[in-house]
Amino acid sequence: MSDQQQSQQSERRVVVVGAGMAGVQTAVALREQGFTGPVTVIGAEPHQPYDRPPLSKAVLLGKAEGSAFDIDFEALDIGLGLGLDVTGLRAAAHELDTPSGPVPYDVLVIATGAEPIVLPGTEGVPGVHLLRTLDDAARLRPVLDERQDVVVVGAGWIGAEFATAARAAGCAVTVLEAADRPLAGALPAEVAAPMAAWYAESGTELLTGARVDHVEPGRVVLADGRAIPAGAVVVGIGARPATGWLAGSGIALGPDGSVTADATLRTSLPDVYAVGDCASFPSARYGERLLVHHWDNALQGPRTVAADIVAAAGGDHPAPSAYDPVPYFWSEQFDRFVQYAGHHAGADTLLWRGDAADPAWSVCWLRDGVLVAVLAVGRPRDLAQGRRLIEAGTRIDPARAADPSVPLKSTAL
């Protein structure tokens, strides 16, 4: 890097809004890729930046006090502004609004993640909880310690993980799901329906078609009049991009509230990027815009953002290729390790590898003979091999893929 290029970088201030995985990894990636200018990460929570997946597992069960990132921010010369709410963005002035006054930026990275959807009518009702933050987990730990009767609203990923932890703590757990099966918004009926048996096996009562009318202290009242006793209620009915603070900024948002980033995660505003759970991006691989609310996306996207910032700042760094990952996530629930890679929305063929009644099985989705997604329950090798096939856009032999004794990598045509 020339002295002039280094000077250009050192004069550009990068401000990252959001101190979760996406925000922190963006700051780290900037340093790893040679960016020398000031970098500041702003987080609304007062805690040292931390990882979220352990909140529904080790932290919730009291096996860990926290999940702070093992990062030496001082050594990396990354500034932290913690406990600071960002309330607005004034793009023309290149400034953020905060209760402590305006914060100027040359380059802004929006990494504010997603916020849980609140069950209507439950605001302020005692005993109703969400599970998104370290403070949420701290409030829920006494519930598990006291082995209270717990009602979980929503049989999605977070609902299943919390129910698993609550059962491990010895709580009686009832899960209420408005749809006719778990994970109704995430997986096709034929794949999700067998998962209902996992609840009963763990001693969890799952009530499907159970729509909540209202919540009172000590009980949940359903639309059909049934009342379910509840020492505590945990709501897990989904999340939406945390982008409300961008109202009036002029930034383009999608119908789902996500910041609509381009293939290098630039937004519609100059010098502004968006990454992680709050941002959607165009996927050439799947032919549609994707909004991915999972940890791996928050880990991968920052490398693209950092590369583009460094390239734009005049560093000896090539412009990044388009961000088009194979989405990946995992869930630990009811003594099962569930993994998913890809995006099955446009698939035309579904193949089973094994029997869903067994402890381990997989499902493959194909589009025009090409593997586009795989769900693996207790079959991590299927997931690892399938993910590589998806990344390569590989056509596979459906007959061989449907045989669980044949390694997925051996089904490539």
Side-chain angles (χ1 to χ4, degrees):
M1 183 185 299
S2 69
D3 290 342
Q4 183 179 4
Q5 288 172 330
Q6 192 160 5
S7 175
Q8 288 174 341
Q9 276 200 21
S10 65
E11 294 171 0
R12 290 179 66 78
R13 298 161 295 181
V14 177
V15 176
V16 182
V17 182
M21 173 62 79
V24 166
Q25 287 300 321
T26 297
V28 171
L30 281 166
R31 292 300 187 227
E32 289 177 345
Q33 296 184 34
F35 185 78
T36 59
V39 177
T40 302
V41 176
I42 297 176
E45 296 181 56
H47 310 290
Q48 191 75 0
Y50 63 88
D51 204 5
R52 294 189 188 277
L55 297 184
S56 61
K57 306 173 184 71
V59 174
L60 187 61
L61 289 169
K63 297 177 181 178
E65 288 303 312
S67 55
F69 293 116
D70 185 18
I71 295 170
D72 190 335
F73 293 98
E74 185 176 355
L76 291 172
D77 194 21
I78 295 171
L80 294 178
L82 303 178
L84 184 62
D85 277 316
V86 176
T87 56
L89 164 60
R90 287 177 288 112
H94 273 52
E95 286 184 342
L96 298 168
D97 291 323
T98 79
S100 301
V103 175
Y105 68 86
D106 294 306
V107 179
L108 174 66
V109 181
I110 299 170
T112 43
E115 56 194 4
I117 296 173
V118 176
L119 186 66
T122 61
E123 296 91 340
V125 177
V128 177
H129 300 264
L130 300 169
L131 180 53
R132 180 69 180 176
T133 68
L134 191 59
D135 290 338
D136 291 338
R139 283 188 287 267
L140 277 164
R141 276 174 62 172
V143 170
L144 272 58
D145 291 342
E146 297 163 12
R147 298 185 178 181
Q148 297 183 20
D149 291 347
V150 177
V151 170
V152 179
V153 182
W157 301 112
I158 193 67
E161 291 188 359
F162 179 80
T164 299
R167 287 298 298 142
C171 298
V173 182
T174 301
V175 177
L176 307 177
E177 173 54 54
D180 62 354
R181 62 188 185 277
L183 294 168
L187 295 172
E190 60 190 297
V191 177
M195 297 178 176
W198 300 356
Y199 289 77
E201 290 173 14
S202 74
T204 300
E205 184 175 11
L206 172 65
L207 301 180
T208 56
R211 191 170 297 278
V212 175
D213 183 78
H214 65 279
V215 178
E216 303 171 356
R219 67 177 193 163
V220 178
V221 180
L222 302 183
D224 61 11
R226 283 180 292 172
I228 313 297
V233 178
V234 177
V235 178
I237 56 174
R240 61 169 62 95
T243 55
W245 65 280
L246 292 168
S249 68
I251 199 166
L253 301 178
D256 52 15
S258 66
V259 180
T260 54
D262 68 10
T264 54
L265 301 180
R266 289 175 175 259
T267 75
S268 62
L269 295 178
D271 303 315
V272 181
Y273 297 78
V275 65
D277 290 8
C278 67
S280 63
F281 57 90
S283 171
R285 185 191 312 278
Y286 292 106
E288 61 181 286
R289 180 168 286 275
L290 298 183
L291 174 63
V292 180
H293 282 181
H294 293 296
W295 184 91
D296 191 65
N297 177 52
L299 177 66
Q300 293 195 60
R303 298 170 192 145
T304 296
V305 172
D308 201 68
I309 291 173
V310 172
D316 296 325
H317 196 90
S321 56
Y323 183 62
D324 196 4
V326 173
Y328 167 74
F329 70 89
W330 77 94
S331 176
E332 297 174 86
Q333 52 182 270
F334 307 120
D335 295 323
R336 289 169 172 86
F337 186 43
V338 183
Q339 296 172 281
Y340 178 96
H343 180 64
H344 66 266
D348 53 42
T349 303
L350 186 151
L351 300 174
W352 286 86
R353 287 171 58 79
D355 189 329
D358 294 335
W361 50 273
S362 299
V363 172
C364 296
W365 285 270
L366 281 63
R367 183 179 63 206
D368 298 328
V370 175
L371 185 66
V372 294
V374 59
L375 172 78
V377 178
R379 290 179 64 99
R381 188 170 298 175
D382 277 4
L383 190 287
Q385 295 179 7
R387 190 178 185 182
R388 287 193 287 270
L389 293 172
I390 296 167
E391 288 172 346
T394 306
R395 294 180 62 83
I396 65 173
D397 182 335
R400 287 175 58 77
D403 183 345
S405 68
V406 176
L408 263 183
K409 65 181 180 182
S410 300
T411 68
L413 294 175

